[in-house]
């Protein structure tokens, strides 16, 4: 579970979250919002609003005798009686935080509240609240066997608007995990330990994955260290083949049991675990004494398929299991944080759920109506574009590279400009080199050279094939911060966006230690109109 070392850079204060509010919430449970009461762990509280009583995932698990002991979602309530906060965001411009709740009891996320709070700046997701009432909230993952890129070796936090989605006809946001991003709770209540039985599911973006270790959701070590075989039980999704794999080229749903990603009873290859290609994916792992299973299905329609159900792996150390009861999201048990993925909702249960219970949960997920939004800004892979500044000073200026030193700048380009200037301001949109759900920009006049950041300055460089280059050259488009065009988030620095400052180009946060992080005109400077290519 090794990671590629990364270049040392300054850390943004926004990336590290440790206020007393979050700590108190993590210990004592989230308060209910809007005067409603949070659901009991058995899902039995009285209901009003969107969801019918007993109809949501944790209601169904409780009815099956395997109640949720952790329930996380940034898109909707998972109990029909839940009326508390789903997650918390922190604003870059002033460090203020806000809980984002549901539109109604048992309903969908109030994305409009996030949009209003984060308007003209950026936000990070600082807490993902546990709806079970047990206080098993997820916060910024601390260092473990591997350090993260944020201050003190913590992992990054997810940019709050990076994974827009529509659920039940309502706008919502998922948790976009870029490499280096992760959440954890090492001090949980009610999560299975030792060989105790448990179940878990997660709804994920089936098109967002990589071969890094390890995009997990589930049970992990409380120390953040690899403490041996059988000390984890978590859902894994991705296409790494180092420890285990199934048919095809992936991605696969597997179980991370520590020192092994298992696709079946054998270490390595198991033929019954297929590659999956659903845009929205339901992934299920459950385990008990010498019994475990992998199930998965399309989160938009249809049922669950069982890819494996049988005894524990035929490798020493996994029977009996030695689960420790921490909860992780987006990382491995030892804080391996090279993975990518998007999480929408998931739960962990007490007890080994029946297939019938999971099938009922899957039917509810299908009915929730997950759909993908239109891509931001019309950046179509394979097309050529030019990127025009939208700040009032510079609406005739385009992002281009210099001819002499390869640095990126903004400069005027018109129909009468020399052909070389037009070509320097034209980019070919490629699938993101470090994350295929994002984009990279290949220079139109320097094939093989890509726009990338290096010590925060943007420039064009030849692709050296390294993991660092691929991440530095990947940008994730979202709606423009000033309401125009697109804003382009750095794939590996989630609070930094492509910005022009004093006619040079950087990745920049909204406030920080460098001049180019200035809050003045930040929303305008980070918004780009996607224009027809000059060349």
């Amino acid at each position: 579970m090794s990671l590629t070392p990364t270049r040392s850079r300054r850390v943004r204060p926004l990336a590290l979250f440790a206020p007393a509010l979050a700590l108190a919430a993590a210990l004592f449970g989230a308060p209910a919002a809007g005067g409603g009461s949070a659901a009991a762990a058995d899902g039995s509280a009285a209901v009003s609003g969107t969801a019918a009583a007993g109809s949501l995932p944790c209601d169904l698990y409780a009815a099956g005798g395997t109640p949720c002991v952790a329930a996380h979602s940034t898109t909707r309530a998972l109990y029909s009686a839940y009326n508390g906060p789903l997650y918390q965001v922190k604003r870059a411009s002033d460090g203020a935080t806000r809980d984002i709740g549901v539109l109604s009891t048992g309903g969908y996320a109030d994305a409009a509240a996030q949009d209003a709070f984060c308007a003209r700046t950026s936000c990070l997701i600082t807490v993902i609240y546990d709806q079970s009432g047990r206080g098993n909230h997820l916060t910024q993952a601390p260092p473990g066997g591997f350090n993260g890129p944020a201050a003190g070796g913590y992992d990054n936090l997810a940019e709050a608007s990076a994974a827009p989605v529509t659920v039940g006809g309502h706008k919502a946001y998922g948790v976009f995990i870029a490499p280096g991003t992760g959440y954890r709770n090492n001090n949980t209540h009610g999560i299975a330990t030792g060989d105790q039985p448990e179940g878990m599911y997660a709804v994920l973006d089936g098109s967002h994955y990589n071969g890094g270790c390890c995009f997990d959701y589930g049970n992990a070590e409380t120390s953040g260290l690899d403490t041996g075989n059988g000390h984890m039980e978590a859902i894994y999704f991705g296409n790494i083949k180092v420890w285990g794999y199934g048919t095809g080229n992936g991605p696969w749903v597997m179980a991370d049991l520590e020192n092994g990603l298992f696709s079946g009873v054998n270490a390595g290859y198991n033929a019954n675990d297929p590659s999956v290609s659903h845009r929205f994916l339901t992934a299920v792992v459950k385990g008990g004494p010498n019994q475990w299973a992998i199930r998965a299905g399309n989160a938009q329609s249809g049922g669950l398929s069982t890819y494996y159900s049988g005894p524990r792996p035929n490798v020493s150390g996994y029977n009996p299991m030695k689960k420790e009861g921490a909860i992780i999201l987006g990382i491995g048990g030892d804080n391996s944080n090279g993975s990518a993925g998007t999480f929408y909702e998931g739960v962990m249960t007490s007890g080994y759920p029946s297939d019938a219970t999971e099938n009922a949960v899957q039917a509810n997920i299908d009915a929730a109506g997950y759909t993908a939004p239109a891509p931001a800004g019309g950046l179509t892979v394979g097309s050529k574009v030019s990127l025009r500044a939208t700040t009032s000073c510079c609406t005739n200026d385009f992002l281009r590279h210099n001819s002499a030193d390869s640095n990126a700048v903004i400069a005027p380009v018109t129909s009468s400009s020399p052909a070389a200037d037009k070509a320097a301001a034209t980019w070919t949109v490629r699938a993101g080199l470090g994350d295929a759900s994002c984009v990279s920009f290949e220079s139109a006049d320097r094939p093989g050279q890509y726009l990338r950041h290096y010590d925060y300055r943007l420039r064009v460089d030849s692709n050296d094939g390294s993991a660092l280059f691929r991440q530095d050259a990947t940008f994730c488009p979202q709606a423009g911060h000033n309401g125009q065009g697109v804003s382009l988030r750095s794939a590996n620095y989630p609070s930094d966006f492509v910005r022009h400052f004093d006619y040079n180009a950087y990745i920049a946060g909204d406030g920080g230690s460098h001049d180019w992080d200035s809050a003045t005109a930040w929303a305008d400077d980070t918004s780009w109109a996607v224009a027809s290519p000059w060349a």
Side-chain angles (χ1 to χ4, degrees), residues 377 386-390 398 484-486 527-532:
S386 292
L387 298 171
R388 180 176 60 81
T390 64
F398 290 80
Q484 301 180 60
V486 296
S527 298
W528 302 87
V530 179
S532 299

Side-chain angles (χ1 to χ4, degrees), residues 341-439:
T342 298
F343 173 90
Y344 301 109
E345 64 177 72
V347 312
M348 301 176 67
T349 72
S350 174
Y352 192 91
S354 68
D355 286 1
T357 295
E358 291 167 344
N359 293 344
V361 170
Q362 169 68 359
N364 173 264
I365 293 168
D366 289 346
Y370 277 97
T371 57
L379 289 170
T380 304
V381 172
S383 66
K384 288 187 176 181
V385 299
S386 292
L387 298 171
R388 180 176 60 81
T390 64
T391 313
S392 58
C393 66
C394 314
T395 54
N396 291 321
D397 290 357
F398 290 80
L399 184 68
R400 59 160 292 173
H401 64 80
N402 285 333
S403 300
D405 60 13
S406 297
N407 284 332
V409 297
I410 60 167
V413 182
T414 68
S415 58
S416 58
S417 295
D421 290 346
K422 292 179 178 177
T426 300
W427 308 94
T428 303
V429 181
R430 303 298 187 193
L433 297 177
D435 187 334
S437 68
C438 301
V439 297

Side-chain angles (χ1 to χ4, degrees), residues 183-243:
Y183 294 81
R184 194 178 196 114
N185 186 332
N186 286 331
N187 184 25
T188 62
H189 302 86
I191 304 301
T193 58
D195 210 26
Q196 293 175 338
E198 67 178 347
M200 62 197 77
Y201 85 83
V203 175
L204 310 172
D205 180 344
S207 66
H208 184 205
Y209 61 90
N210 70 359
C213 181
C214 288
F215 184 72
D216 291 347
Y217 172 71
N219 193 324
E221 295 96 333
T222 56
S223 63
L225 302 175
D226 178 350
T227 51
N229 295 3
H231 284 249
M232 289 182 62
E233 187 165 66
I235 296 165
Y236 165 81
F237 179 64
N239 67 342
I240 195 170
K241 296 180 70 173
V242 174
W243 297 280

Side-chain angles (χ1 to χ4, degrees), residues 22-49:
L23 293 177
L27 291 173
F28 303 116
S37 60
D42 64 0
S44 61
V47 219
S48 62

